[in-house]
Amino acid sequence: MNFPDYDDKTAFLGEWGPFQKTVFTLLCLSVIPNGFNGFTMVFVGDTPAHYCLIPADLNITDEWRQAAVAPDEDAGESRVSKCSRHRLDIIQNYSDRGLNPWVDVNVSTIPREHCLDGWEYDRSTYISTIVSEWDLVCSDDWKAPLTTSIFFLGVLTGSVTSGLFSDRFGRKIVLFVTMGIQTAFTLIQVFSPSWLIFCLLFFIIGMGEISNYVSAFVLGTEIFSGSVRGMFSTLGVCFFFSVGYMILPLAAYFLRDWRMLLTVLTIPGFFYIPLWWFIPESPRWLVSRGRVKEAEAILRKAAKMNGVEAPDVIFPQVQLMENTEKLQTYNLFHLVKSTNIRCITVLLCLVWLTVTIGYYALALNTSNLHGNIYVNSLLSAVVEVPALIMAWLMFRCWPRRLCLSSTLSFGGLVLLIIHFIPEDMNSVSIALVMLGKFGLSAAFSIAYAASAELYPTVLRNSALGICSMASRVGSITAPYFIYLGSYYRSLPYILIGSLNVFSGLLCLLLPESLGCPLPEAISHMQRVVRCKKRHPHSSTHL
């Protein structure tokens, strides 16, 4: 189906009237929960200091209670052993005989046993986390990073399914259904009786989290035009995502119990129900589906809000063809159907994969940085604000390839420098981590906007869903990049930095979309650098 120039046909609305301002604000507000839901595991799944529980009814002296969890001489500088204790039956015997563990007995010679009675957790930072509630430590310590990965596995699944549903049934309905899923299942998660049930619900929440964000992003990208579209895609939704991220450490500081924290974080979701009557469906998507009358009704209502007069017929070409031409159905196969679109998809997937590994690894690693976890997490969120402002300013006038390449390369190079910082210079290392997060946050924002400009309306949501799917493969593996730091402190930063510098170079192969109209059909797409047409009339099959 041939499409008219949508932006020209709707130019009578203007770029920034009451209609655009209302939709802009409401769509941005809808992504706030994504900011805190995506990082709750920083606090909900953190591992407090712990040691083996010594039963209270065990009749031994305080000195022997301390000695029971004392490490052997080769256990390093730890004051207590986290995963084993000295055998209590032997300690009971020594205590009954009145021996002093620090004078009369060599404690390190007493055989050790596992924490048979559970663990005692430090309550100074948290009242409870899922780790302390279900004892996800020692032999079960793999469950904590797996929990985060399960959430992002749900995000990956939602990336694909929501894109297909959104392109088939509409942006608006997917937006609100997924907001409902995210809110309802987070509330149910509060009552999880076990780690397994918690993970199952977390998977479903992940599906709703990304679907909500991508649908809101695509809906706004298709409704707005000109500079407003660039501001929305690089600054608007990303800024309000960061607002949600900033809310998380503030809420977690006052709510130290994980169930209470999740309960409070579900409240904003219920306030979004009335937005159904104020956020419209994408007229651009409706036109692509041949539903011209519905699109025109929305645009006439928008014109009335803006105080302008709409033409009698807004899409005359489409109206004439509506009853004579069969609409083509598009699917994921069209994203790899030709060399050009296949190259674009592969390049963008690689870029999204690497930037997400870096972004989420740095965000989730705040609990392992030196200093206060709440301050570090808030700082990690706050640093995104100037990054997003810079991304927006760059996006207004710089070539898209240069914007993406420079921010990725900057973030990667800064992280590589951490390898050369001495371990005792913690403040310098933290500053470099935040600077790397600054660059990757800007790159993440630009990646969304630049990708949306490259794909046509008929495939835009599905394409962003596939890119987001690649992105979630990165977020699934991000916790394990952090885990590598237990073997070598700088290894995560070396790997993340190298990957992002490499992807920054790959960006230079992407088509340039600066100043180009948003493509409506596949034939309108820009071409990858050095990707030549095979036949002079093959553009309709790109």
Side-chain angles (χ1 to χ4, degrees):
M1 181 176 182
N2 296 320
F3 293 89
D5 190 327
Y6 179 90
D7 290 333
D8 288 344
K9 297 293 183 182
T10 58
F12 64 89
L13 284 178
E15 286 192 7
W16 193 235
F19 169 75
Q20 289 92 341
K21 292 176 182 178
T22 300
V23 175
F24 188 102
T25 302
L26 297 181
L27 286 178
C28 287
L29 289 173
S30 74
V31 303
I32 289 178
N34 294 279
F36 47 71
N37 280 327
F39 301 106
T40 52
M41 277 297 290
V42 171
F43 302 100
V44 169
D46 196 17
T47 303
H50 56 279
Y51 55 88
C52 290
L53 176 65
I54 307 300
D57 58 356
L58 187 67
N59 187 23
I60 58 176
T61 64
D62 291 340
E63 289 83 0
W64 277 110
R65 285 186 176 274
Q66 296 176 20
V69 294
D72 290 335
E73 294 178 357
D74 60 350
E77 300 179 357
S78 175
R79 297 175 61 185
V80 296
S81 178
K82 296 180 179 181
C83 298
S84 65
R85 66 189 183 189
H86 295 287
R87 284 180 50 181
L88 295 188
D89 57 338
I90 297 176
I91 286 179
Q92 178 75 73
N93 177 268
Y94 284 150
S95 180
D96 291 343
R97 291 164 55 188
L99 301 178
N100 187 304
W102 314 122
V103 177
D104 304 318
V105 178
N106 183 358
V107 176
S108 64
T109 63
I110 301 176
R112 305 190 72 86
E113 62 185 3
H114 295 299
C115 300
L116 303 178
D117 299 294
W119 287 264
E120 187 72 27
Y121 293 93
D122 178 18
R123 307 289 177 178
S124 62
T125 302
Y126 306 104
I127 296 175
S128 72
T129 68
I130 64 169
V131 172
S132 63
E133 179 154 341
W134 293 311
D135 291 332
L136 308 183
V137 294
C138 298
S139 61
D140 285 334
D141 62 354
W142 55 272
K143 291 182 178 180
L146 179 61
T147 306
T148 305
S149 294
I150 288 173
F151 170 78
F152 287 118
L153 185 61
V155 173
L156 185 152
T157 306
S159 300
V160 180
T161 56
S162 68
L164 294 173
F165 287 137
S166 183
D167 282 338
R168 177 66 62 88
F169 301 109
R171 294 23 174 153
K172 178 179 176 179
I173 189 169
V174 172
L175 170 64
F176 282 91
V177 167
T178 53
M179 280 198 294
I181 289 173
Q182 188 175 206
T183 301
F185 281 88
T186 302
L187 186 59
I188 296 172
Q189 191 182 36
V190 171
F191 304 98
S192 300
S194 66
W195 173 75
L196 189 61
I197 298 299
F198 180 93
C199 289
L200 176 62
L201 295 170
F202 215 20
F203 176 85
I204 299 173
I205 293 167
M207 291 179 62
E209 195 260 356
I210 188 60
S211 304
N212 168 15
Y213 185 90
V214 172
S215 296
F217 176 85
V218 173
L219 182 56
T221 299
E222 294 181 349
I223 287 177
F224 305 125
S225 61
S227 60
V228 177
R229 180 189 298 144
M231 181 170 65
F232 174 81
S233 57
T234 57
L235 184 60
V237 286
C238 297
F239 174 79
F240 279 81
F241 180 91
S242 299
V243 169
Y245 186 8
M246 286 185 275
I247 290 173
L248 176 62
L250 297 176
Y253 179 80
F254 295 102
L255 303 168
R256 304 296 180 98
D257 176 80
W258 74 267
R259 294 183 188 269
M260 183 60 67
L261 176 61
L262 291 185
T263 301
V264 171
L265 293 180
T266 60
I267 294 175
F270 294 100
F271 291 101
Y272 293 125
I273 296 175
L275 300 188
W276 174 268
W277 289 274
F278 297 95
I279 296 177
E281 181 56 271
S282 165
R284 191 187 293 265
W285 175 81
L286 289 170
V287 171
S288 75
R289 303 302 298 173
R291 295 161 60 177
V292 179
K293 292 182 179 179
E294 295 176 57
E296 289 196 343
I298 293 172
L299 293 171
R300 293 186 193 284
K301 185 177 179 180
K304 186 176 180 180
M305 288 182 63
N306 286 355
V308 297
E309 186 174 347
D312 294 335
V313 178
I314 302 176
F315 302 111
Q317 297 177 21
V318 178
Q319 286 180 322
L320 290 174
M321 300 169 59
E322 188 173 8
N323 297 323
T324 61
E325 183 174 343
K326 183 179 179 180
L327 294 174
Q328 182 177 355
T329 299
Y330 292 88
N331 52 48
L332 296 179
F333 173 73
H334 288 83
L335 293 175
V336 293
K337 190 174 182 180
S338 72
T339 302
N340 183 57
I341 194 169
R342 186 164 56 247
C343 288
I344 292 174
T345 302
V346 170
L347 286 172
L348 286 176
C349 284
L350 288 173
V351 169
W352 282 58
L353 172 70
T354 55
V355 72
T356 305
I357 289 174
Y359 178 84
Y360 278 99
L362 296 180
L364 295 172
N365 194 45
T366 50
S367 59
N368 297 323
L369 295 177
H370 180 76
N372 185 283
I373 182 175
Y374 300 101
V375 173
N376 288 338
S377 183
L378 182 61
L379 184 59
S380 178
V382 169
V383 77
E384 293 189 3
V385 177
L388 296 175
I389 294 174
M390 184 191 74
W392 170 56
L393 294 174
M394 292 172 64
F395 202 77
R396 292 184 64 183
C397 54
W398 281 26
R400 302 334 188 196
R401 290 179 298 191
L402 181 58
C403 291
L404 200 50
S405 179
S406 60
T407 50
L408 281 169
S409 300
F410 173 78
L413 288 171
V414 168
L415 295 177
L416 289 174
I417 297 174
I418 297 177
H419 172 64
F420 303 101
I421 304 300
E423 291 190 16
D424 58 343
M425 299 180 65
N426 292 310
S427 58
V428 177
S429 296
I430 292 176
L432 289 174
V433 169
M434 295 305 166
L435 199 57
K437 178 83 180 324
F438 173 91
L440 296 185
S441 297
F444 214 148
S445 169
I446 293 170
Y448 262 99
S451 300
E453 288 186 349
L454 292 176
Y455 287 103
T457 301
V458 292
L459 281 173
R460 187 169 296 114
N461 216 123
S462 294
L464 286 182
I466 291 298
C467 290
S468 187
M469 182 183 72
S471 170
R472 298 319 149 189
V473 172
S475 57
I476 289 170
T477 59
Y480 298 99
F481 274 77
I482 299 170
Y483 186 74
L484 292 174
S486 61
Y487 296 99
Y488 181 57
R489 182 184 72 98
S490 300
L491 184 57
Y493 302 117
I494 294 172
L495 294 175
I496 294 169
S498 300
L499 285 173
N500 280 280
V501 170
F502 175 69
S503 63
L505 297 175
L506 287 180
C507 291
L508 299 176
L509 299 176
L510 289 168
E512 183 52 61
S513 58
L514 177 63
C516 299
L518 206 61
E520 302 292 348
I522 295 180
S523 58
H524 299 162
M525 293 181 64
Q526 302 293 322
R527 302 191 63 82
V528 173
V529 175
R530 298 185 182 278
C531 182
K532 299 180 180 180
K533 298 180 182 180
R534 294 183 180 179
H535 302 288
H537 301 294
S538 63
S539 61
T540 57
H541 303 290
L542 295 179

